[in-house]
Amino acid sequence: EWLAKSAGNGNAKAQFNLALIYAGQYGATPDWPKAVEWFAKAATSGSVDAQYNLGLLYLDGKGVERNPVAAGEWLSKAALKGMPEAALEYGVLVIRGEGVERNPEIGVKWLRFAAEHGHPVAQNRLARIYATGLGAQADAVEAATWNLLAEKGGRPDATLEELMKNLSTEQRAGAQKRVDGFVAKPAPQLD
């Protein structure tokens, strides 16, 4: 009751937390349209977490009609504020040209941002990009580096194991040296 009052009075954190409740976060049955309503209010008030979540809801079509353009707009806002998860999602949209202008080079930059902040899924996707050369110039050592980091973060990839088997001793050592020297950038304070 107090959370709803605070949210109704414009408190962005209360709006975000109320949206989480409507999204089923704390065991409640999800009410997706209400979750969208409150995420939108918090997002409009500048909540990065709400912008990210609202973007995902538009991307998945939960509580609203699926809208990749709106998803791209909200995810880009959160990515521009430094949220690694939003950078990953936005980067994928940009690489695909889904709801935004297709630009693999810029999409890869967003993936790299998330990967450099220690996001294992972004590290895995970056490894695949460097392994295939789709979106960036193929580079086996770069692919191996990101693959090893993703594995270390709990994101193994059987497809990339073939790449790893085909590396020379020098390439593997070069990738391992990069991994050993990797320090994830700290995530910025957002909300």
Side-chain angles (χ1 to χ4, degrees):
E1 180 182 333
W2 288 106
L3 182 63
K5 283 184 181 184
S6 183
N9 287 329
N11 182 303
K13 286 186 181 191
Q15 292 168 339
F16 174 72
N17 285 313
L18 190 57
L20 287 178
I21 291 170
Y22 281 120
Q25 185 74 26
Y26 303 107
T29 302
D31 181 340
W32 293 113
K34 282 282 195 191
V36 168
E37 174 188 340
W38 287 104
F39 277 134
K41 288 179 182 184
T44 302
S45 295
S47 168
V48 178
D49 289 324
Q51 291 168 348
Y52 170 69
N53 280 280
L54 187 58
L56 292 180
L57 292 178
Y58 275 113
L59 193 58
D60 294 339
K62 283 189 174 176
V64 290
E65 188 173 323
R66 187 176 187 287
N67 185 338
V69 172
E73 289 172 7
W74 287 112
L75 291 170
S76 71
K77 287 176 189 243
L80 286 167
K81 289 181 181 171
M83 178 185 264
E85 296 83 0
L88 164 65
E89 297 295 338
Y90 184 65
V92 170
L93 292 179
V94 173
I95 289 169
R96 292 180 182 162
E98 185 178 354
V100 297
E101 184 177 334
R102 185 176 188 277
N103 189 325
E105 185 179 308
I106 290 183
V108 168
K109 287 180 181 181
W110 282 112
L111 289 182
R112 180 175 282 280
F113 175 86
E116 288 174 347
H117 282 81
H119 199 294
V121 173
Q123 292 168 342
N124 171 259
R125 292 197 178 194
L126 213 48
R128 285 176 166 255
I129 285 168
Y130 285 114
T132 62
L134 298 173
Q137 185 173 345
D139 183 329
V141 175
E142 192 75 10
T145 300
W146 291 112
N147 181 53
L148 290 169
L149 286 167
E151 283 180 355
K152 198 173 177 181
R155 184 74 179 197
D157 189 326
T159 304
L160 291 171
E161 287 308 310
E162 284 304 310
L163 166 81
M164 300 301 290
K165 290 177 188 174
N166 294 324
L167 292 176
S168 69
T169 304
E170 295 79 24
Q171 288 174 315
R172 185 144 179 91
Q176 189 61 54
K177 183 177 179 181
R178 290 180 186 182
V179 169
D180 293 342
F182 178 80
V183 177
K185 294 179 179 179
Q189 288 287 49
L190 299 172
D191 281 343

